[in-house]
PDB file of all heavy atoms in Angstrom:
ATOM      1  N   PHE A 366     156.567  77.918 197.810  1.00  0.00           N
ATOM      2  CA  PHE A 366     157.519  77.824 196.696  1.00  0.00           C
ATOM      3  C   PHE A 366     157.061  78.670 195.518  1.00  0.00           C
ATOM      4  O   PHE A 366     157.841  79.397 194.911  1.00  0.00           O
ATOM      5  CB  PHE A 366     157.698  76.367 196.262  1.00  0.00           C
ATOM      6  CG  PHE A 366     158.661  75.603 197.131  1.00  0.00           C
ATOM      7  CD1 PHE A 366     158.344  74.352 197.637  1.00  0.00           C
ATOM      8  CD2 PHE A 366     159.895  76.149 197.449  1.00  0.00           C
ATOM      9  CE1 PHE A 366     159.236  73.654 198.440  1.00  0.00           C
ATOM     10  CE2 PHE A 366     160.797  75.457 198.251  1.00  0.00           C
ATOM     11  CZ  PHE A 366     160.464  74.209 198.747  1.00  0.00           C
ATOM     12  N   ALA A 367     155.761  78.560 195.204  1.00  0.00           N
ATOM     13  CA  ALA A 367     155.232  79.323 194.069  1.00  0.00           C
ATOM     14  C   ALA A 367     155.402  80.813 194.322  1.00  0.00           C
ATOM     15  O   ALA A 367     155.756  81.574 193.420  1.00  0.00           O
ATOM     16  CB  ALA A 367     153.760  78.989 193.854  1.00  0.00           C
ATOM     17  N   CYS A 368     155.166  81.209 195.565  1.00  0.00           N
ATOM     18  CA  CYS A 368     155.244  82.615 195.916  1.00  0.00           C
ATOM     19  C   CYS A 368     156.687  83.104 195.778  1.00  0.00           C
ATOM     20  O   CYS A 368     156.952  84.138 195.168  1.00  0.00           O
ATOM     21  CB  CYS A 368     154.751  82.784 197.347  1.00  0.00           C
ATOM     22  SG  CYS A 368     154.249  84.436 197.727  1.00  0.00           S
ATOM     23  N   PHE A 369     157.621  82.317 196.308  1.00  0.00           N
ATOM     24  CA  PHE A 369     159.026  82.734 196.297  1.00  0.00           C
ATOM     25  C   PHE A 369     159.598  82.750 194.889  1.00  0.00           C
ATOM     26  O   PHE A 369     160.128  83.758 194.420  1.00  0.00           O
ATOM     27  CB  PHE A 369     159.848  81.822 197.204  1.00  0.00           C
ATOM     28  CG  PHE A 369     161.301  82.184 197.254  1.00  0.00           C
ATOM     29  CD1 PHE A 369     161.699  83.353 197.903  1.00  0.00           C
ATOM     30  CD2 PHE A 369     162.260  81.396 196.660  1.00  0.00           C
ATOM     31  CE1 PHE A 369     163.036  83.708 197.952  1.00  0.00           C
ATOM     32  CE2 PHE A 369     163.598  81.747 196.710  1.00  0.00           C
ATOM     33  CZ  PHE A 369     163.990  82.901 197.355  1.00  0.00           C
ATOM     34  N   PHE A 370     159.440  81.632 194.179  1.00  0.00           N
ATOM     35  CA  PHE A 370     160.037  81.560 192.840  1.00  0.00           C
ATOM     36  C   PHE A 370     159.244  82.415 191.848  1.00  0.00           C
ATOM     37  O   PHE A 370     159.823  82.985 190.921  1.00  0.00           O
ATOM     38  CB  PHE A 370     160.149  80.113 192.379  1.00  0.00           C
ATOM     39  CG  PHE A 370     161.186  79.350 193.160  1.00  0.00           C
ATOM     40  CD1 PHE A 370     160.824  78.391 194.092  1.00  0.00           C
ATOM     41  CD2 PHE A 370     162.537  79.635 192.990  1.00  0.00           C
ATOM     42  CE1 PHE A 370     161.784  77.716 194.840  1.00  0.00           C
ATOM     43  CE2 PHE A 370     163.500  78.960 193.724  1.00  0.00           C
ATOM     44  CZ  PHE A 370     163.122  77.995 194.648  1.00  0.00           C
ATOM     45  N   GLY A 371     157.935  82.510 192.047  1.00  0.00           N
ATOM     46  CA  GLY A 371     157.129  83.383 191.192  1.00  0.00           C
ATOM     47  C   GLY A 371     157.547  84.827 191.347  1.00  0.00           C
ATOM     48  O   GLY A 371     157.655  85.574 190.378  1.00  0.00           O
ATOM     49  N   MET A 372     157.803  85.226 192.595  1.00  0.00           N
ATOM     50  CA  MET A 372     158.269  86.586 192.850  1.00  0.00           C
ATOM     51  C   MET A 372     159.585  86.838 192.117  1.00  0.00           C
ATOM     52  O   MET A 372     159.764  87.868 191.461  1.00  0.00           O
ATOM     53  CB  MET A 372     158.439  86.770 194.367  1.00  0.00           C
ATOM     54  CG  MET A 372     158.905  88.123 194.831  1.00  0.00           C
ATOM     55  SD  MET A 372     160.698  88.295 194.831  1.00  0.00           S
ATOM     56  CE  MET A 372     161.174  87.133 196.100  1.00  0.00           C
ATOM     57  N   LEU A 373     160.514  85.868 192.216  1.00  0.00           N
ATOM     58  CA  LEU A 373     161.796  86.020 191.511  1.00  0.00           C
ATOM     59  C   LEU A 373     161.564  86.160 190.019  1.00  0.00           C
ATOM     60  O   LEU A 373     162.139  87.022 189.353  1.00  0.00           O
ATOM     61  CB  LEU A 373     162.688  84.806 191.787  1.00  0.00           C
ATOM     62  CG  LEU A 373     163.270  84.677 193.193  1.00  0.00           C
ATOM     63  CD1 LEU A 373     164.199  83.474 193.253  1.00  0.00           C
ATOM     64  CD2 LEU A 373     164.015  85.935 193.596  1.00  0.00           C
ATOM     65  N   HIS A 374     160.666  85.317 189.478  1.00  0.00           N
ATOM     66  CA  HIS A 374     160.409  85.331 188.041  1.00  0.00           C
ATOM     67  C   HIS A 374     159.848  86.677 187.607  1.00  0.00           C
ATOM     68  O   HIS A 374     160.323  87.275 186.638  1.00  0.00           O
ATOM     69  CB  HIS A 374     159.447  84.204 187.681  1.00  0.00           C
ATOM     70  CG  HIS A 374     158.956  84.284 186.276  1.00  0.00           C
ATOM     71  ND1 HIS A 374     159.729  83.892 185.204  1.00  0.00           N
ATOM     72  CD2 HIS A 374     157.801  84.739 185.763  1.00  0.00           C
ATOM     73  CE1 HIS A 374     159.060  84.092 184.091  1.00  0.00           C
ATOM     74  NE2 HIS A 374     157.873  84.610 184.403  1.00  0.00           N
ATOM     75  N   PHE A 375     158.817  87.154 188.318  1.00  0.00           N
ATOM     76  CA  PHE A 375     158.195  88.417 187.918  1.00  0.00           C
ATOM     77  C   PHE A 375     159.149  89.596 188.080  1.00  0.00           C
ATOM     78  O   PHE A 375     159.011  90.614 187.409  1.00  0.00           O
ATOM     79  CB  PHE A 375     156.911  88.663 188.716  1.00  0.00           C
ATOM     80  CG  PHE A 375     155.765  87.802 188.265  1.00  0.00           C
ATOM     81  CD1 PHE A 375     155.075  87.003 189.167  1.00  0.00           C
ATOM     82  CD2 PHE A 375     155.376  87.793 186.939  1.00  0.00           C
ATOM     83  CE1 PHE A 375     154.026  86.208 188.746  1.00  0.00           C
ATOM     84  CE2 PHE A 375     154.325  87.003 186.514  1.00  0.00           C
ATOM     85  CZ  PHE A 375     153.642  86.206 187.416  1.00  0.00           C
ATOM     86  N   ASN A 376     160.090  89.474 188.978  1.00  0.00           N
ATOM     87  CA  ASN A 376     161.080  90.534 189.172  1.00  0.00           C
ATOM     88  C   ASN A 376     162.305  90.356 188.266  1.00  0.00           C
ATOM     89  O   ASN A 376     163.279  91.085 188.398  1.00  0.00           O
ATOM     90  CB  ASN A 376     161.539  90.583 190.627  1.00  0.00           C
ATOM     91  CG  ASN A 376     160.522  91.287 191.485  1.00  0.00           C
ATOM     92  OD1 ASN A 376     159.948  92.284 191.078  1.00  0.00           O
ATOM     93  ND2 ASN A 376     160.285  90.761 192.674  1.00  0.00           N
ATOM     94  N   LYS A 377     162.265  89.358 187.388  1.00  0.00           N
ATOM     95  CA  LYS A 377     163.370  89.033 186.495  1.00  0.00           C
ATOM     96  C   LYS A 377     164.661  88.764 187.264  1.00  0.00           C
ATOM     97  O   LYS A 377     165.733  89.248 186.922  1.00  0.00           O
ATOM     98  CB  LYS A 377     163.598  90.155 185.475  1.00  0.00           C
ATOM     99  CG  LYS A 377     162.374  90.419 184.624  1.00  0.00           C
ATOM    100  CD  LYS A 377     162.709  91.418 183.525  1.00  0.00           C
ATOM    101  CE  LYS A 377     161.505  91.688 182.650  1.00  0.00           C
ATOM    102  NZ  LYS A 377     161.055  93.076 182.710  1.00  0.00           N
ATOM    103  N   LEU A 378     164.523  88.047 188.348  1.00  0.00           N
ATOM    104  CA  LEU A 378     165.692  87.700 189.161  1.00  0.00           C
ATOM    105  C   LEU A 378     165.939  86.205 189.060  1.00  0.00           C
ATOM    106  O   LEU A 378     165.004  85.458 188.797  1.00  0.00           O
ATOM    107  CB  LEU A 378     165.424  88.087 190.616  1.00  0.00           C
ATOM    108  CG  LEU A 378     165.399  89.596 190.898  1.00  0.00           C
ATOM    109  CD1 LEU A 378     164.914  89.843 192.311  1.00  0.00           C
ATOM    110  CD2 LEU A 378     166.761  90.215 190.686  1.00  0.00           C
ATOM    111  N   PRO A 379     167.126  85.664 189.294  1.00  0.00           N
ATOM    112  CA  PRO A 379     168.330  86.428 189.590  1.00  0.00           C
ATOM    113  C   PRO A 379     168.921  87.067 188.326  1.00  0.00           C
ATOM    114  O   PRO A 379     168.836  86.510 187.238  1.00  0.00           O
ATOM    115  CB  PRO A 379     169.286  85.373 190.146  1.00  0.00           C
ATOM    116  CG  PRO A 379     168.795  84.083 189.591  1.00  0.00           C
ATOM    117  CD  PRO A 379     167.342  84.227 189.345  1.00  0.00           C
ATOM    118  N   GLN A 380     169.494  88.237 188.485  1.00  0.00           N
ATOM    119  CA  GLN A 380     170.077  88.989 187.379  1.00  0.00           C
ATOM    120  C   GLN A 380     171.432  89.481 187.879  1.00  0.00           C
ATOM    121  O   GLN A 380     171.504  90.293 188.799  1.00  0.00           O
ATOM    122  CB  GLN A 380     169.163  90.166 187.042  1.00  0.00           C
ATOM    123  CG  GLN A 380     169.477  90.828 185.741  1.00  0.00           C
ATOM    124  CD  GLN A 380     168.382  91.820 185.372  1.00  0.00           C
ATOM    125  OE1 GLN A 380     167.669  92.309 186.231  1.00  0.00           O
ATOM    126  NE2 GLN A 380     168.261  92.121 184.108  1.00  0.00           N
ATOM    127  N   LEU A 381     172.483  88.945 187.297  1.00  0.00           N
ATOM    128  CA  LEU A 381     173.813  89.222 187.854  1.00  0.00           C
ATOM    129  C   LEU A 381     174.362  90.558 187.385  1.00  0.00           C
ATOM    130  O   LEU A 381     175.245  91.137 188.005  1.00  0.00           O
ATOM    131  CB  LEU A 381     174.768  88.095 187.488  1.00  0.00           C
ATOM    132  CG  LEU A 381     174.367  86.742 188.077  1.00  0.00           C
ATOM    133  CD1 LEU A 381     175.328  85.651 187.633  1.00  0.00           C
ATOM    134  CD2 LEU A 381     174.300  86.792 189.592  1.00  0.00           C
ATOM    135  N   TYR A 382     173.848  91.049 186.235  1.00  0.00           N
ATOM    136  CA  TYR A 382     174.387  92.296 185.720  1.00  0.00           C
ATOM    137  C   TYR A 382     173.256  93.159 185.196  1.00  0.00           C
ATOM    138  O   TYR A 382     172.285  92.666 184.625  1.00  0.00           O
ATOM    139  CB  TYR A 382     175.373  92.023 184.567  1.00  0.00           C
ATOM    140  CG  TYR A 382     175.788  93.269 183.856  1.00  0.00           C
ATOM    141  CD1 TYR A 382     176.717  94.120 184.452  1.00  0.00           C
ATOM    142  CD2 TYR A 382     175.234  93.623 182.631  1.00  0.00           C
ATOM    143  CE1 TYR A 382     177.084  95.294 183.821  1.00  0.00           C
ATOM    144  CE2 TYR A 382     175.600  94.782 182.003  1.00  0.00           C
ATOM    145  CZ  TYR A 382     176.524  95.626 182.597  1.00  0.00           C
ATOM    146  OH  TYR A 382     176.877  96.777 181.990  1.00  0.00           O
ATOM    147  N   HIS A 383     173.375  94.448 185.404  1.00  0.00           N
ATOM    148  CA  HIS A 383     172.392  95.377 184.854  1.00  0.00           C
ATOM    149  C   HIS A 383     173.134  96.592 184.306  1.00  0.00           C
ATOM    150  O   HIS A 383     174.082  97.081 184.925  1.00  0.00           O
ATOM    151  CB  HIS A 383     171.400  95.805 185.938  1.00  0.00           C
ATOM    152  CG  HIS A 383     170.151  96.421 185.369  1.00  0.00           C
ATOM    153  ND1 HIS A 383     170.121  97.701 184.910  1.00  0.00           N
ATOM    154  CD2 HIS A 383     168.919  95.910 185.175  1.00  0.00           C
ATOM    155  CE1 HIS A 383     168.895  97.968 184.455  1.00  0.00           C
ATOM    156  NE2 HIS A 383     168.145  96.885 184.613  1.00  0.00           N
ATOM    157  N   SER A 384     172.694  97.056 183.146  1.00  0.00           N
ATOM    158  CA  SER A 384     173.400  98.149 182.470  1.00  0.00           C
ATOM    159  C   SER A 384     173.513  99.395 183.334  1.00  0.00           C
ATOM    160  O   SER A 384     174.459 100.171 183.207  1.00  0.00           O
ATOM    161  CB  SER A 384     172.685  98.498 181.173  1.00  0.00           C
ATOM    162  OG  SER A 384     172.551  97.345 180.390  1.00  0.00           O
ATOM    163  N   LEU A 385     172.528  99.611 184.206  1.00  0.00           N
ATOM    164  CA  LEU A 385     172.547 100.832 185.012  1.00  0.00           C
ATOM    165  C   LEU A 385     173.760 100.886 185.935  1.00  0.00           C
ATOM    166  O   LEU A 385     174.159 101.958 186.376  1.00  0.00           O
ATOM    167  CB  LEU A 385     171.267 100.932 185.850  1.00  0.00           C
ATOM    168  CG  LEU A 385     169.990 101.282 185.073  1.00  0.00           C
ATOM    169  CD1 LEU A 385     168.808 101.308 186.013  1.00  0.00           C
ATOM    170  CD2 LEU A 385     170.138 102.615 184.362  1.00  0.00           C
ATOM    171  N   PHE A 386     174.356  99.710 186.206  1.00  0.00           N
ATOM    172  CA  PHE A 386     175.526  99.699 187.077  1.00  0.00           C
ATOM    173  C   PHE A 386     176.724 100.407 186.427  1.00  0.00           C
ATOM    174  O   PHE A 386     177.718 100.689 187.084  1.00  0.00           O
ATOM    175  CB  PHE A 386     175.915  98.272 187.457  1.00  0.00           C
ATOM    176  CG  PHE A 386     174.873  97.587 188.284  1.00  0.00           C
ATOM    177  CD1 PHE A 386     174.765  96.203 188.293  1.00  0.00           C
ATOM    178  CD2 PHE A 386     173.988  98.323 189.071  1.00  0.00           C
ATOM    179  CE1 PHE A 386     173.802  95.563 189.056  1.00  0.00           C
ATOM    180  CE2 PHE A 386     173.021  97.692 189.832  1.00  0.00           C
ATOM    181  CZ  PHE A 386     172.926  96.312 189.825  1.00  0.00           C
ATOM    182  N   ARG A 387     176.633 100.666 185.109  1.00  0.00           N
ATOM    183  CA  ARG A 387     177.697 101.420 184.445  1.00  0.00           C
ATOM    184  C   ARG A 387     177.774 102.853 184.969  1.00  0.00           C
ATOM    185  O   ARG A 387     178.819 103.478 184.933  1.00  0.00           O
ATOM    186  CB  ARG A 387     177.433 101.495 182.942  1.00  0.00           C
ATOM    187  CG  ARG A 387     177.782 100.236 182.181  1.00  0.00           C
ATOM    188  CD  ARG A 387     177.454 100.465 180.718  1.00  0.00           C
ATOM    189  NE  ARG A 387     177.679  99.282 179.916  1.00  0.00           N
ATOM    190  CZ  ARG A 387     178.880  98.925 179.460  1.00  0.00           C
ATOM    191  NH1 ARG A 387     179.909  99.655 179.726  1.00  0.00           N
ATOM    192  NH2 ARG A 387     179.005  97.833 178.748  1.00  0.00           N
ATOM    193  N   SER A 388     176.631 103.365 185.402  1.00  0.00           N
ATOM    194  CA  SER A 388     176.593 104.758 185.843  1.00  0.00           C
ATOM    195  C   SER A 388     177.184 104.890 187.243  1.00  0.00           C
ATOM    196  O   SER A 388     176.799 104.169 188.161  1.00  0.00           O
ATOM    197  CB  SER A 388     175.149 105.265 185.845  1.00  0.00           C
ATOM    198  OG  SER A 388     175.061 106.443 186.606  1.00  0.00           O
ATOM    199  N   GLU A 389     178.113 105.821 187.385  1.00  0.00           N
ATOM    200  CA  GLU A 389     178.718 106.022 188.699  1.00  0.00           C
ATOM    201  C   GLU A 389     177.745 106.694 189.660  1.00  0.00           C
ATOM    202  O   GLU A 389     177.690 106.391 190.839  1.00  0.00           O
ATOM    203  CB  GLU A 389     179.975 106.876 188.566  1.00  0.00           C
ATOM    204  CG  GLU A 389     181.208 106.166 189.078  1.00  0.00           C
ATOM    205  CD  GLU A 389     182.459 106.941 188.725  1.00  0.00           C
ATOM    206  OE1 GLU A 389     182.654 107.994 189.343  1.00  0.00           O
ATOM    207  OE2 GLU A 389     183.210 106.484 187.835  1.00  0.00           O
ATOM    208  N   ARG A 390     176.955 107.618 189.120  1.00  0.00           N
ATOM    209  CA  ARG A 390     175.996 108.336 189.967  1.00  0.00           C
ATOM    210  C   ARG A 390     174.964 107.384 190.557  1.00  0.00           C
ATOM    211  O   ARG A 390     174.413 107.618 191.631  1.00  0.00           O
ATOM    212  CB  ARG A 390     175.293 109.419 189.150  1.00  0.00           C
ATOM    213  CG  ARG A 390     176.217 110.442 188.541  1.00  0.00           C
ATOM    214  CD  ARG A 390     175.402 111.503 187.838  1.00  0.00           C
ATOM    215  NE  ARG A 390     174.851 112.486 188.749  1.00  0.00           N
ATOM    216  CZ  ARG A 390     175.430 113.659 189.011  1.00  0.00           C
ATOM    217  NH1 ARG A 390     176.559 113.974 188.416  1.00  0.00           N
ATOM    218  NH2 ARG A 390     174.867 114.495 189.838  1.00  0.00           N
ATOM    219  N   PHE A 391     174.684 106.303 189.796  1.00  0.00           N
ATOM    220  CA  PHE A 391     173.640 105.372 190.219  1.00  0.00           C
ATOM    221  C   PHE A 391     173.985 104.658 191.529  1.00  0.00           C
ATOM    222  O   PHE A 391     173.112 104.116 192.201  1.00  0.00           O
ATOM    223  CB  PHE A 391     173.383 104.339 189.110  1.00  0.00           C
ATOM    224  CG  PHE A 391     172.127 103.536 189.302  1.00  0.00           C
ATOM    225  CD1 PHE A 391     170.880 104.153 189.311  1.00  0.00           C
ATOM    226  CD2 PHE A 391     172.183 102.165 189.499  1.00  0.00           C
ATOM    227  CE1 PHE A 391     169.717 103.418 189.498  1.00  0.00           C
ATOM    228  CE2 PHE A 391     171.022 101.424 189.689  1.00  0.00           C
ATOM    229  CZ  PHE A 391     169.793 102.058 189.679  1.00  0.00           C
ATOM    230  N   GLU A 392     175.280 104.675 191.887  1.00  0.00           N
ATOM    231  CA  GLU A 392     175.668 104.017 193.144  1.00  0.00           C
ATOM    232  C   GLU A 392     174.952 104.626 194.349  1.00  0.00           C
ATOM    233  O   GLU A 392     174.713 103.960 195.348  1.00  0.00           O
ATOM    234  CB  GLU A 392     177.192 104.122 193.338  1.00  0.00           C
ATOM    235  CG  GLU A 392     177.932 103.166 192.433  1.00  0.00           C
ATOM    236  CD  GLU A 392     179.424 103.427 192.427  1.00  0.00           C
ATOM    237  OE1 GLU A 392     179.885 104.204 193.285  1.00  0.00           O
ATOM    238  OE2 GLU A 392     180.104 102.843 191.573  1.00  0.00           O
ATOM    239  N   ARG A 393     174.607 105.893 194.217  1.00  0.00           N
ATOM    240  CA  ARG A 393     173.968 106.547 195.373  1.00  0.00           C
ATOM    241  C   ARG A 393     172.492 106.173 195.532  1.00  0.00           C
ATOM    242  O   ARG A 393     171.827 106.668 196.441  1.00  0.00           O
ATOM    243  CB  ARG A 393     174.132 108.066 195.253  1.00  0.00           C
ATOM    244  CG  ARG A 393     175.585 108.467 195.537  1.00  0.00           C
ATOM    245  CD  ARG A 393     175.779 109.934 195.361  1.00  0.00           C
ATOM    246  NE  ARG A 393     175.194 110.719 196.455  1.00  0.00           N
ATOM    247  CZ  ARG A 393     175.274 112.044 196.515  1.00  0.00           C
ATOM    248  NH1 ARG A 393     175.876 112.722 195.555  1.00  0.00           N
ATOM    249  NH2 ARG A 393     174.736 112.696 197.509  1.00  0.00           N
TER     250      ARG A 393
END
Side-chain angles (χ1 to χ4, degrees):
Chain A
F366 279 132
C368 200
F369 180 70
F370 290 108
M372 181 274 294
L373 289 184
H374 171 78
F375 285 126
N376 281 320
K377 301 187 179 117
L378 289 171
Q380 193 170 24
L381 297 178
Y382 171 76
H383 197 282
S384 305
L385 287 178
F386 295 155
R387 282 180 183 278
S388 164
E389 239 171 72
R390 301 184 80 96
F391 193 63
E392 285 170 11
R393 287 177 74 179

